[in-house]
Structure formats: C-alpha cells, structure tokens
Amino acid sequence: MDHVGFMQRAIALSREKMREDEGGPFAAVVVRDGAIVGEGWNQVTGHNDPTAHAEIVAIREACRTLGSFSLEGCVIYTSCEPCPMCLAAIHWAHIERVYFANTAEDAAAIGFDDARLYRELALPRDERSLPLERLCAEEAIEVFREWAADPGRIQY
C-alpha cells in the first residue's frame, strides 16, 4: 500500500465508524515499514472518553502491537489535521511524520474548532481561562529528584 492507500484506509474507517455512531468523523492509521500497526477512530461519545480521539486510539493500538511506548520509525495517516492533544501525543510517541486529509479549518466548519485551544496554549499560564494553581511543590519535587537519581529509570 502507498501513501494514498493508507490515507484512503483512514478515510474509509472514519466513514464506517461515524455511520456506526462510534463518534465523530475521524480516523487514523499508524504505519511502520509499509504495514498498518495501529488503527483508531473517534470514540469520544461511544466510550464517554474525551481523550479517545482517532490518533490517540491508533497510537495506543500501535504501541500494544509493537510492545513499545516509542513509535520511532512510524508515520501516521489521519483523516483530519490533529488537534493540540493529538499533536502532543504524536510528538510524545516519536512518530516521524503526519499525513492528514481534512484541515483544522475544515473541522471548525462542522463544529470541531480547536482555535480556542491554540490561543489558550499561547497565553502565559496566569492569563489562561482555566485556572492553574500550584500546590505542594516541595513534596512533588522530591519525587522528581528521586526519579532523576534512579540509574534504572526508563527515559522517554
């Protein structure tokens, strides 16, 4: 399968699962060495999970398939440009490239508008609409220090 074929799979999966009322019209496939290692579709409403976006679900499946938290050497084909959460997960997974079909503007036109999130993330922490308040900093930093000092830690 080539790039177009993988994207067509993501689009077909988005249509199929949308029609089955699984969630919104989004799907993604993770590919390594020319083979699909993970597929996901939007399951937000189907599983009452606001984090169950197509890319997140596909990443989770790919990690299970490969037995690794790192998806180095993988690419993702997604039926829509990733939202901020999914884009962050793609970075954390070390996926090497993103191919997308619909744009963020296309998604906004049907009610999925991520612009607010992008604006919020660009603001200084104390200017965001969601209050963030620091508590127990001294206790928490001790855990970080312990982790940093552990020679057996698994860095990711």
Side-chain angles (χ1 to χ4, degrees), residues 19-32:
R19 288 177 176 172
E20 292 174 3
D21 292 325
E22 289 279 335
F26 307 95
V29 296
V30 176
V31 175
R32 184 183 219 173

Side-chain angles (χ1 to χ4, degrees), residues 6-16 27-28 78-79 101-102:
F6 290 125
M7 184 59 74
Q8 288 174 335
R9 173 62 187 149
I11 294 167
L13 191 58
S14 72
R15 177 179 287 115
E16 173 189 337
T78 179
S79 64
N102 291 314

Side-chain angles (χ1 to χ4, degrees), residues 82-148:
C83 75
M85 175 183 70
C86 293
L87 190 57
I90 288 165
H91 278 283
W92 277 113
H94 301 284
I95 290 174
E96 296 181 359
R97 183 177 292 265
V98 178
Y99 296 95
F100 65 93
N102 291 314
T103 66
E105 294 79 17
D106 296 331
I110 62 165
F112 295 94
D113 192 357
D114 300 328
R116 179 185 60 83
L117 293 172
Y118 282 109
R119 283 192 304 274
E120 282 285 310
L121 292 172
L123 292 173
R125 192 173 28 228
D126 61 344
E127 292 179 25
R128 295 179 187 161
S129 65
L130 178 65
L132 292 143
E133 184 176 345
R134 191 171 186 195
L135 297 173
C136 303
E138 290 302 315
E139 292 173 56
I141 201 67
E142 287 302 318
V143 178
F144 273 20
R145 289 181 183 133
E146 184 178 334
W147 185 86

